[in-house]
Amino acid sequence: MSFKNILENFSKYRRGAEEGGHHEYEHRWGMAIDLNLCIGCNACSTACYAENNLAVVGKDKFEKGQAMHWMRIERYWDDADAGRDFPEQGALFLPMLCQQCGAATCEPVCPVAATYHTPDGLNAQVYNRCIGSRYCNNNCPFRVRYFNFWSYYESSWPEPLNMQLNPDLSVRDKGVMEKCTFCVQRIRTAKDKAQRENRAIVDGEFQTACAQACPTGAIVFGDTMDPNSRVTKLWQEHEVERGPYTSKKPKQNAELRGYRIFEELNVDPSIMYLERVRETEV
Amino acid sequence: MAQVIQDKIIDENLKWSQINQDVIRSMQAPGKAYWITFAVCVAMFLTAVAAEIYQYKVGMGAAGLNNPHMWDMYIATFVFWIGMSHAGTLLSAILHIIHAQWRKPIYRFAEAMTTFSLMTAGFFPMIHLGRVWNLYWVLPYVSDRGIWPNFRSPLVWDAFAISTYLSASALFLVIGMIPDLAILRDHTKGWRKKFYGILALGWRGDDRQWRNFRKTYMLMACFLIPLAISVHSIVSSDFAMSIMPGWHVTTFPPYFVAGALYSGCAAIMTLFICLRYFFHMEEYMTKNIMEKTTKLTFAIAMVWTYLNLIEFASTWYGHNIYDKEVLISKATGPYAVVFWTMIICGSVVPFTLCFQKLRRHMPTMFVVSLLLQLGMYVERWMIVAPTLSQAHQPHQWDVLWAPVVQWAIVFGSFGWFALLFLVFVKLFPSVSMYEVKELTFHLQHEAEEEKWLADQEKHATPEGAREKPVTGRPGLEGA
């Protein structure tokens, strides 16, 4: 054990805490989700279950609110008074996943720093470090963190279903928090490959499981720091910018559909949603 | 002045030997009722242990938590017990500094209550962890991997604050007991004599020891007061530092401290009455002292009510839609019963303390003190649960009533607290003997002075006669 190492590490840690997260990003992975294209088919959610070894909890626990769907399709129904009701109006779908906030509220509250900001602009969750205080989800306005309330692995994948588990990431046991990682294992693989071939990552070289599975292409994933990526272009097209919230300008152009959820809380989400164009006046 | 003598705190003619005898009598071999209570408490505690073992084995799902409700009764109970610990410091340190004499017969058990409720509260952050076996990661121990806890997290501040407060208040309790332990050493036989002999740390009661003792005691009191206030402020930052509606409230630190003193005073009233009846301490736990305690409780209750109103008003006029919705759902939603229980028990019931007849009627006060505590318990729960039930994301709105595992652990914590207290009253003096002696001495002194002054007034001499009589040992002046 080197005493110098400890001190250096501590001072580095202290500085990091004062400045509040990262400022020198290598990448900033982000998304654009077009709600116009979302048909609520849940393919993204299913793909996520397959890719990320998400536990299937069963009907009882799902009803109790103990499900583990990192990617969930939220359904919102119109008020009966506000005009047309179900089924004419139908549901409004909102694919909800971790927004990988730039100023994430989950990070400062974790007592053991199990969740932290990576140079990739992701909120990483270190399962091995997590002690399960669950403060992060309490402080998450999106409620997209999922806690292993039980040892789900015991019953989630009865033989031979355990053969389909993704070997690139772990299966979590009870007592740890988990959440969407933007398929960090795919990001790592792509980065490693690019490094071996001595080149930069090309946009579209890889995708998250949800973006890959979406039949209508509603989810676009990419590096928002890469000026040529599809996602950057979409963000620019809809005039959505990263960074702290500045009070909303009244919308001049109906074509500009981009918004970030709970932007006004100043959490700087990495996912831009494109508003759904509706038949009726909202 | 005549009024002062009438409202005397205790009978000043209590013999010092009588005080010793009475306190030692309360520590004698326990009777049947004691053992029955003891057995009940052990049973309650074991129920909690069983529930915790089950939860440890299968996971936090046993506590019925779900996605929006990551915290529930464990955290509420934690805040409750931490709050209860504040009254001991109020009585022993704050009232010590402002020379409130009436605290002397009752502060000892209040201080024990502080220590024990902290020992109870300390369990809850552990119980509620998903992986309790990694608890020590919260502490900044030196590791060659250079991994530190996250010093920005209020939960880490909690760990520091509570461990500091627990050790300081336990030390304060033990230090304050030293002269009494010496008395016990001199009056007991067998293993008790050895036990108290070790704890009395060679106390002989000479001047130098008394001088050092008073200095130490005063120093510890001054150290404890800011500590106690900071502890509950830090506990409040568990909520106030978050961005959740209903938690992110600027007035939370004073609100929590007021609530803490409030529930602590109510607990003191309960234990006061229990000790008064079960140990026949009528001469020490007098109705006059009870009256003073209740007045203090009433004042704090009004502070708490005021801070509550501030919170409601600032939420209402702040026009933050999330905050406002949480407030409305508290008052009218599924938890409305709990909310109005809190308002009635916390802000309406204390008005019974305005009536002298009721203040002096012990059974009423017992019921009132329990109601106040109920109000304060549900207040803590009302802080934790409704916010989680109805936070920002409407898709995740839910209602949760705690299942049996949580209740078992919460009830068990009361058993554990009572168990510690029961052991304490039989092992240590629950009334401070030396300070009661001081008190009687002062009262006698006051009475003599009063009589002397009256005499002087009767045969009023024009000048020079108004010198105070010198009575008593000078060492005890102003103690």
Side-chain angles (χ1 to χ4, degrees):
Chain A
M1 184 192 291
S2 131
F3 196 61
K4 204 180 146 210
N5 175 26
I6 290 161
L7 289 180
E8 267 176 11
N9 225 308
F10 185 67
S11 64
K12 193 174 140 200
Y13 182 82
R14 280 287 310 281
R15 272 203 305 283
E18 278 157 19
E19 287 159 10
H22 275 280
H23 298 286
E24 291 160 15
Y25 289 105
E26 295 166 20
H27 303 279
R28 290 195 86 173
W29 305 108
M31 271 188 187
I33 299 180
D34 193 341
L35 300 182
N36 246 358
L37 295 176
C38 180
I39 53 171
C41 67
N42 274 305
C44 49
S45 188
T46 314
C48 187
Y49 268 81
E51 171 70 20
N52 290 305
N53 296 345
L54 301 190
V56 182
V57 300
K59 198 174 164 187
D60 290 349
K61 284 168 187 161
F62 194 98
E63 276 176 357
K64 273 189 195 166
Q66 295 172 338
M68 306 299 289
H69 41 29
W70 289 1
M71 175 71 162
R72 61 176 190 242
I73 302 288
E74 296 184 351
R75 287 172 296 180
Y76 293 100
W77 308 90
D78 267 356
D79 233 352
D81 316 331
R84 284 193 293 177
D85 195 6
F86 175 80
E88 290 87 27
Q89 181 63 57
L92 295 166
F93 302 113
L94 183 69
M96 181 47 74
L97 65 162
C98 176
Q99 310 282 312
Q100 313 286 355
C101 306
T105 48
C106 51
E107 286 165 13
V109 297
C110 176
V112 290
T115 177
Y116 73 105
H117 223 66
T118 70
D120 274 12
L122 299 175
N123 296 113
Q125 173 74 19
V126 188
Y127 306 130
N128 283 342
R129 180 68 175 167
C130 180
I131 59 170
S133 78
R134 309 190 292 289
Y135 198 168
C136 49
N137 190 43
N138 276 349
N139 208 21
C140 172
F142 308 94
R143 289 279 191 270
V144 285
R145 297 178 144 262
Y146 300 92
F147 187 70
N148 284 276
F149 286 108
W150 310 89
S151 285
Y152 290 116
Y153 71 91
E154 286 167 356
S155 57
S156 275
W157 303 283
E159 300 250 353
L161 286 179
N162 56 346
M163 301 299 282
Q164 59 94 42
L165 287 172
N166 187 348
D168 290 343
L169 73 162
S170 59
V171 171
R172 282 78 58 185
D173 196 357
K174 67 169 188 274
V176 299
M177 191 62 85
E178 57 183 63
K179 67 167 193 62
C180 167
T181 60
F182 270 2
C183 290
V184 71
Q185 64 279 10
R186 295 189 177 197
I187 296 177
R188 290 274 8 142
T189 314
K191 275 171 91 174
D192 288 351
K193 199 177 166 209
Q195 198 182 17
R196 272 200 305 277
E197 293 168 9
N198 205 11
R199 60 173 173 83
I201 295 181
V202 186
D203 185 45
E205 182 180 345
F206 72 100
Q207 278 184 315
T208 57
C210 49
Q212 190 183 1
C214 183
T216 58
I219 303 172
V220 176
F221 172 81
D223 185 357
T224 54
M225 272 173 76
D226 175 2
N228 300 316
S229 68
R230 274 174 73 208
V231 70
T232 316
K233 284 182 180 152
L234 273 170
W235 279 54
Q236 280 165 355
E237 196 180 308
H238 291 276
E239 294 177 12
V240 175
E241 280 167 10
R242 298 212 62 129
Y245 173 69
T246 44
S247 60
K248 271 254 161 69
K249 298 157 264 179
K251 220 177 256 179
Q252 302 298 327
N253 187 351
E255 297 275 295
L256 299 181
R257 297 185 290 126
Y259 71 99
R260 294 187 294 167
I261 297 177
F262 297 139
E263 203 176 8
E264 71 276 17
L265 298 175
N266 242 338
V267 289
D268 190 12
S270 297
I271 298 181
M272 176 190 70
Y273 287 86
L274 296 176
E275 214 173 303
R276 185 179 173 196
V277 178
R278 303 177 65 189
E279 307 158 42
T280 47
E281 198 60 38
V282 187
Chain B
M1 280 299 255
Q3 190 64 24
V4 175
I5 292 173
Q6 254 178 21
D7 285 349
K8 62 196 169 194
I9 304 158
I10 60 172
D11 180 12
E12 78 264 20
N13 295 320
L14 268 177
K15 294 275 180 303
W16 286 16
S17 58
Q18 181 68 33
I19 296 170
N20 283 355
Q21 272 174 24
D22 282 345
V23 174
I24 292 169
R25 175 177 49 78
S26 78
M27 296 162 56
Q28 270 166 358
K32 218 178 189 176
Y34 178 90
W35 286 118
I36 291 171
T37 325
F38 196 85
V40 170
C41 293
V42 171
M44 281 167 81
F45 179 59
L46 289 180
T47 317
V49 171
E52 168 58 16
I53 289 172
Y54 172 63
Q55 183 183 289
Y56 183 95
K57 275 185 84 78
V58 304
M60 287 308 291
L65 303 171
N66 62 12
N67 186 5
H69 297 95
M70 289 282 160
W71 292 354
D72 198 33
M73 271 168 78
Y74 294 150
I75 297 295
T77 318
F78 160 71
V79 180
F80 175 77
W81 285 115
I82 291 281
M84 201 182 259
S85 73
H86 279 57
T89 310
L90 172 74
L91 275 182
S92 55
I94 299 178
L95 295 186
H96 175 67
I97 280 180
I98 62 170
H99 296 292
Q101 299 285 348
W102 58 270
R103 78 178 186 103
K104 284 183 173 170
I106 61 164
Y107 88 93
R108 173 67 50 73
F109 77 79
E111 218 171 278
M113 193 181 86
T114 295
T115 309
F116 298 150
S117 54
L118 278 172
M119 285 166 75
T120 316
F123 278 127
F124 281 92
M126 304 183 202
I127 288 168
H128 105 116
L129 283 188
R131 302 206 297 170
V132 63
W133 49 94
N134 290 331
L135 174 78
Y136 64 97
W137 288 353
V138 179
L139 302 173
Y141 63 93
V142 172
S143 143
D144 62 347
R145 289 182 295 169
I147 298 174
W148 298 95
N150 180 6
F151 291 104
R152 287 178 294 170
S153 169
L155 296 183
V156 172
W157 311 342
D158 264 359
F160 298 154
I162 293 164
S163 50
T164 314
Y165 189 40
L166 176 60
S167 41
S169 66
L171 200 60
F172 194 49
L173 175 67
V174 172
I175 286 176
M177 257 193 312
I178 287 175
D180 278 1
L181 292 169
I183 296 173
L184 290 171
R185 174 196 61 197
D186 299 341
H187 285 78
T188 48
K189 286 188 197 103
W191 66 269
R192 274 183 186 257
K193 194 175 184 69
K194 264 188 201 159
F195 178 64
Y196 297 127
I198 293 165
L199 289 179
L201 302 172
W203 179 268
R204 293 183 308 276
D206 56 34
D207 278 355
R208 186 171 152 271
Q209 282 184 339
W210 273 109
R211 201 166 55 240
N212 289 346
F213 173 76
R214 300 236 177 261
K215 267 187 195 153
T216 316
Y217 196 80
M218 189 52 115
L219 195 74
M220 283 295 287
C222 295
F223 176 66
L224 259 181
I225 295 167
L227 194 60
I229 289 167
S230 72
V231 166
H232 222 53
S233 304
I234 284 170
V235 169
S236 80
S237 18
D238 284 355
F239 305 100
M241 298 296 282
S242 77
I243 60 161
M244 288 297 116
W247 284 8
H248 186 70
V249 179
T250 320
T251 52
F252 258 19
Y255 178 58
F256 270 53
V257 174
L261 294 175
Y262 187 12
S263 67
C265 282
I268 285 177
M269 284 162 66
T270 316
L271 290 178
F272 180 104
I273 294 166
C274 288
L275 285 176
R276 180 182 155 97
Y277 280 97
F278 293 123
F279 294 114
H280 305 289
M281 293 279 199
E282 284 89 348
E283 277 171 316
Y284 304 94
M285 319 255 164
T286 59
K287 288 188 173 177
N288 281 324
I289 295 179
M290 184 61 175
E291 223 179 299
K292 293 207 192 296
T293 318
T294 50
K295 281 176 187 168
L296 185 67
T297 313
F298 179 72
I300 296 169
M302 290 304 108
V303 172
W304 178 83
T305 307
Y306 173 66
L307 287 168
N308 237 343
L309 289 176
I310 284 186
E311 194 200 319
F312 296 159
S314 56
T315 306
W316 191 257
Y317 293 110
H319 293 300
N320 179 326
I321 184 169
Y322 307 115
D323 280 346
K324 215 167 168 176
E325 288 221 345
V326 168
L327 182 63
I328 292 170
S329 87
K330 273 182 184 175
T332 59
Y335 304 130
V337 180
V338 188
F339 179 82
W340 293 108
T341 310
M342 165 187 117
I343 295 290
I344 290 167
C345 289
S347 298
V348 180
V349 171
F351 279 96
T352 53
L353 305 176
C354 292
F355 304 100
Q356 198 181 31
K357 262 196 184 150
L358 291 177
R359 281 205 301 257
R360 299 184 78 88
H361 190 245
M362 291 297 145
T364 316
M365 280 300 104
F366 189 70
V367 174
V368 166
S369 73
L370 289 181
L371 282 177
L372 298 184
Q373 284 179 68
L374 173 71
M376 292 315 290
Y377 184 86
V378 297
E379 180 236 350
R380 274 61 189 260
W381 188 81
M382 278 313 280
I383 291 170
V384 177
T387 287
L388 296 176
S389 300
Q390 203 171 341
H392 299 94
Q393 187 73 353
H395 183 264
Q396 294 296 92
W397 286 357
D398 194 10
V399 174
L400 182 79
W401 298 100
V404 70
V405 171
Q406 282 198 42
W407 283 101
I409 290 181
V410 169
F411 271 120
S413 77
F414 284 87
W416 163 250
F417 173 79
L419 205 59
L420 288 171
F421 201 79
L422 283 173
V423 172
F424 175 82
V425 292
K426 286 296 166 191
L427 271 186
F428 297 100
S430 44
V431 173
S432 171
M433 290 182 267
Y434 76 96
E435 290 201 274
V436 173
K437 288 174 190 172
E438 270 174 27
L439 183 60
T440 56
F441 179 83
H442 275 290
L443 291 175
Q444 275 174 355
H445 181 98
E446 255 173 38
E448 272 169 31
E449 189 181 339
E450 189 62 25
K451 208 173 141 205
W452 184 84
L453 279 173
D455 279 353
Q456 290 297 310
E457 260 162 46
K458 237 181 243 170
H459 329 280
T461 45
E463 62 198 66
R466 284 197 171 250
E467 274 169 35
K468 281 187 180 177
V470 181
T471 48
R473 281 189 291 163
L476 279 172
E477 284 287 334

